[in-house]
């Protein structure tokens, strides 16, 4: 049942149909390309085990406390990001802190829709048998030729953004909740099969050791910043996405408990993917510096070693595209909620304009592996630059603002009261309060500054 909110917003807002519906949808937002595509790529580029360990530490120190803060802010404000800040700190300039993530989610989508576009192209390439029988070297060449062309990436991205916008227009509940229920178990099941297959490759062990054994000799502040950025990206934090989802949460729901379940699911999928992709780097003799093509090379190589590889490949990329879709929906939802509630636009118009805007600004990103590959910004190509700027700078900044607001402006006491409204207990409220007021902002600010200057 869709309940009706009485939280004072002028328009009646939908709420999640059930606790399970909310969890599945939020897991749908969190689990996506961040886990399956970005996680193994950054682990490989940052030296393996030590990065994984710092990432896990950041999950507990920063990720879970901020997720709790964002969900609580969202539910208490009961509206889009800008209005959450305006409502909880009326008359102050804090509403600007909400404008920031609303605008910044554009940049994340500029990366996200490009990679999702590649995934769409890979569904059809697999189906057409183009990846069948190729070894890792040939798969690497295939990836370069697909992403280096202009037509495929631009078309894939357009289709992806169109579907994302269409789902948002259909509605929060119908659009998102239903997908999560079928998809998440499907993708996890497939990953488990691939994991088992990977474990039987010769030479897999050195890859597992590289993934799990920390070697701190190569560790720097920029690695720590990459780990923090990855947590924000993967948990959908600092972008208003989780906050907007929190605003559809009914009062009875237990925010800390839900945050923990969502985080465990998200980290679980990332680690599982890492345990497949990283060892296969070693098995297939690839360089850890393979970059954004990593999973598009290693995974099809694994599929080719299983009977009916073409089928596995098609189904896997199909499921990955859906996982990317549920994440992108939560991203675009941030802007649509803002445009419909603040500017009074219709949902259809808001989704259309947002998707078009994202498409236009991300054309250079889509072409960055081919026609525009020569353009460098701060030593990075356009794709890597936007990814770095959005994930390692904008997201931590957005998270920092949300957590400072919760800890010092709105106040942890009000936040805890909000969490306990319907008789829910929060055993770790003392720990959480200290984290949110002191440790999280200090850690994020410190890593952000030292990572940028190092
Ligand atoms: N968390 C999503 C993923 O891992 C991406 C995302 C980032 C979604 C930020 C919403 C907001 O794929």
């Amino acid at each position: 049942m869709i309940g009706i909110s009485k939280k004072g917003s002028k328009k009646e807002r939908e709420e999640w149909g059930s606790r399970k519906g909310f969890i599945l949808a939020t897991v749908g937002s969190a689990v996506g390309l961040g886990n399956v595509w970005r996680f193994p790529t950054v682990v490989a580029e940052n030296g393996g085990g030590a990065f994984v360990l710092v990432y896990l530490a950041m999950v507990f120190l920063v990720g879970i406390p901020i997720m709790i803060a964002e969900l609580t802010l969202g539910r208490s404000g009961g509206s889009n990001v800008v209005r959450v800040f305006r409502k909880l700190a009326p008359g102050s300039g804090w509403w600007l802190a909400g404008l920031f993530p609303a605008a910044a989610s554009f940049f994340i989508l500029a990366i996200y829709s490009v990679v999702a576009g590649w995934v769409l192209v890979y569904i059809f390439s697999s189906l057409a048998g183009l990846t069948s029988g190729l070894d890792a070297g040939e798969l690497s060449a295939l990836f370069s030729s697909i992403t280096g062309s202009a037509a495929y990436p631009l078309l894939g991205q357009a289709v992806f953004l169109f579907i994302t916008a269409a789902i948002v227009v259909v509605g929060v509940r119908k659009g998102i909740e239903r997908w999560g229920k079928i998809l998440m178990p499907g993708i996890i099941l497939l990953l488990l099969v691939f994991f088992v297959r990977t474990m039987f490759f010769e030479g897999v062990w050195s890859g597992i050791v590289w993934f799990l054994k920390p070697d701190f000799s190569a560790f720097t502040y920029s690695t720590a910043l990459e780990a923090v950025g990855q947590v924000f990206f993967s948990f959908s934090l600092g972008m208003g996405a989780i906050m907007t989802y929190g605003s559809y949460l009914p009062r009875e729901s237990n925010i800390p408990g839900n945050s923990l379940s969502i985080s465990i699911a998200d980290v679980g999928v990332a680690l599982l993917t890492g345990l497949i992709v990283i060892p296969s780097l070693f098995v297939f003799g690839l360089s850890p510096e393979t970059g954004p093509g990593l999973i598009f090379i290693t995974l099809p190589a694994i599929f080719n070693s299983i009977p009916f590889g073409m089928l596995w490949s098609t189904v896997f990329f199909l499921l990955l595209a859906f996982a990317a879709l549920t994440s992108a929906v939560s991203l675009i939802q941030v802007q649509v909620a803002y445009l419909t509630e603040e500017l009074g636009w219709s949902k259809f118009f808001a989704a259309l304009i947002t998707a078009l805007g994202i498409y236009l600004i991300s054309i250079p990103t889509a072409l960055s592996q081919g026609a525009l590959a020569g353009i460098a910004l701060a030593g990075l190509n356009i794709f890597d630059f936007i990814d770095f700027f959005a994930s390692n700078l904008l997201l931590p900044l957005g998270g920092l603002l949300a957590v400072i607001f919760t800890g010092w402006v709105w106040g942890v006491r009000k936040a805890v009261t909000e969490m306990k409204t319907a008789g829910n207990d929060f055993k770790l409220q003392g720990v959480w309060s200290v984290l949110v007021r002191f440790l999280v902002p200090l850690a994020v600010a410190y890593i952000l500054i030292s990572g940028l200057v190092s």
Side-chain angles (χ1 to χ4, degrees):
M1 278 289 293
I2 295 180
I4 298 299
S5 155
K6 298 188 189 66
K7 278 165 279 179
S9 58
K10 265 190 236 122
K11 271 189 209 146
E12 292 170 335
R13 283 171 69 89
E14 284 175 298
E15 284 185 0
W16 298 103
S18 59
R19 171 175 187 265
K20 213 168 141 209
F22 163 75
I23 294 258
L24 283 170
T26 312
V27 168
S29 165
V31 176
L33 298 174
N35 314 60
V36 177
W37 164 74
R38 202 172 186 279
F39 181 72
T41 310
V42 286
V43 170
E45 282 168 352
N46 288 283
F51 178 86
V52 175
L53 195 68
V54 177
Y55 164 79
L56 288 176
M58 290 302 149
V59 161
F60 286 99
L61 182 70
V62 174
I64 299 175
I66 298 192
M67 182 172 291
I68 295 176
E70 282 202 20
L71 284 175
T72 311
L73 282 175
R75 189 176 65 180
S76 181
S79 55
N80 65 76
V81 254
V82 173
R83 202 181 296 179
V84 165
F85 287 104
R86 197 183 280 147
K87 205 155 147 188
L88 300 181
S92 75
W94 270 94
W95 64 273
L96 284 167
L99 210 54
F100 179 87
S105 56
F106 249 77
F107 288 99
I108 293 284
L109 266 169
I111 291 293
Y112 214 81
S113 59
V114 170
V115 181
W118 298 344
V119 174
L120 292 187
V121 175
Y122 265 78
I123 297 174
F124 292 100
S125 311
S126 310
L127 199 61
L130 291 180
T131 55
S132 302
L134 302 187
D135 64 23
E138 292 161 333
L139 284 164
S140 177
L142 180 71
F143 176 77
S144 303
S145 77
I146 288 178
T147 58
S149 74
Y152 293 122
L154 286 176
L155 183 68
Q157 189 195 14
V159 172
F160 181 77
L161 280 172
F162 175 79
I163 303 174
T164 307
I167 290 181
V168 173
V169 173
V170 172
V172 166
R173 189 167 168 254
K174 272 184 279 158
I176 307 164
E177 206 168 308
R178 205 191 285 154
W179 292 111
K181 281 185 188 159
I182 332 162
L183 293 171
M184 288 307 139
I187 201 156
I188 292 171
L189 206 71
L190 276 196
L191 285 172
L192 282 171
V193 172
F194 304 149
F195 170 68
V196 172
R197 172 64 192 99
T198 308
M199 291 306 117
F200 285 98
F201 281 124
E202 211 176 298
V204 72
W205 195 242
S206 46
I208 295 180
V209 170
W210 196 77
F211 182 72
L212 295 177
K213 196 171 156 213
D215 166 15
F216 280 101
S217 63
F219 195 78
T220 60
Y221 277 120
S222 48
T223 322
L225 181 57
E226 283 288 347
V228 170
Q230 177 58 25
V231 172
F232 276 99
F233 191 102
S234 192
F235 278 29
S236 309
L237 296 175
M239 251 320 87
I242 291 291
M243 214 185 281
T244 307
Y245 270 25
S247 73
Y248 301 103
L249 255 186
R251 288 237 107 77
E252 316 73 71
S253 62
N254 175 352
I255 291 181
N258 284 346
S259 302
L260 195 65
S261 320
I262 296 159
S263 309
I264 290 173
D266 190 66
V267 172
V269 176
L271 291 178
L272 183 58
T273 314
L275 278 169
I276 299 167
V277 176
I278 300 294
S280 50
L281 265 181
F282 288 75
V283 171
F284 300 119
L286 293 163
S287 151
E289 298 295 325
T290 301
L294 185 61
I295 68 155
F296 296 95
I297 300 164
T298 49
L299 294 177
I302 298 174
F303 305 149
N304 286 343
S305 73
I306 315 177
F308 308 109
M310 188 181 127
L311 207 66
W312 289 108
S313 187
T314 311
V315 174
F316 176 77
F317 283 117
L318 204 62
L319 284 180
L320 183 57
F322 281 129
L325 207 56
T326 50
S327 302
V329 162
S330 76
L331 267 166
I332 234 181
Q333 182 76 29
V334 175
Q335 287 139 26
V336 172
Y338 172 75
L339 295 171
T340 50
E341 291 172 6
E342 297 299 306
L343 306 185
W345 293 16
S346 75
K347 223 180 204 177
F348 176 79
F349 191 58
L352 183 76
I353 294 294
T354 310
L356 264 179
I358 291 160
Y359 188 65
L360 290 179
I361 65 155
S362 54
I363 287 177
T365 326
L367 299 179
S368 65
Q369 312 292 310
L372 302 181
I375 298 180
L377 299 160
L380 302 170
N381 70 26
I382 301 176
F383 183 93
D384 290 338
F385 178 79
I386 297 191
D387 185 30
F388 181 88
F389 175 70
S391 314
N392 296 351
L393 201 72
L394 295 179
L395 295 189
L397 272 176
L400 197 60
L401 287 176
V403 93
I404 292 176
F405 183 82
T406 311
W408 298 95
V409 182
W410 189 42
V412 281
R413 199 172 302 155
K414 283 195 195 132
V416 169
T417 311
E418 167 70 33
M419 281 183 241
K420 289 177 159 178
T421 35
N424 285 313
D425 197 13
F426 185 17
K427 289 210 181 63
L428 294 177
Q429 72 177 67
V431 178
W432 180 79
S433 305
V434 173
L435 280 172
V436 161
R437 282 166 72 93
F438 304 101
L439 263 142
V440 177
L442 284 176
V444 174
Y446 181 72
I447 294 174
L448 197 58
I449 295 167
S450 27
L452 287 177
V453 296
S454 72

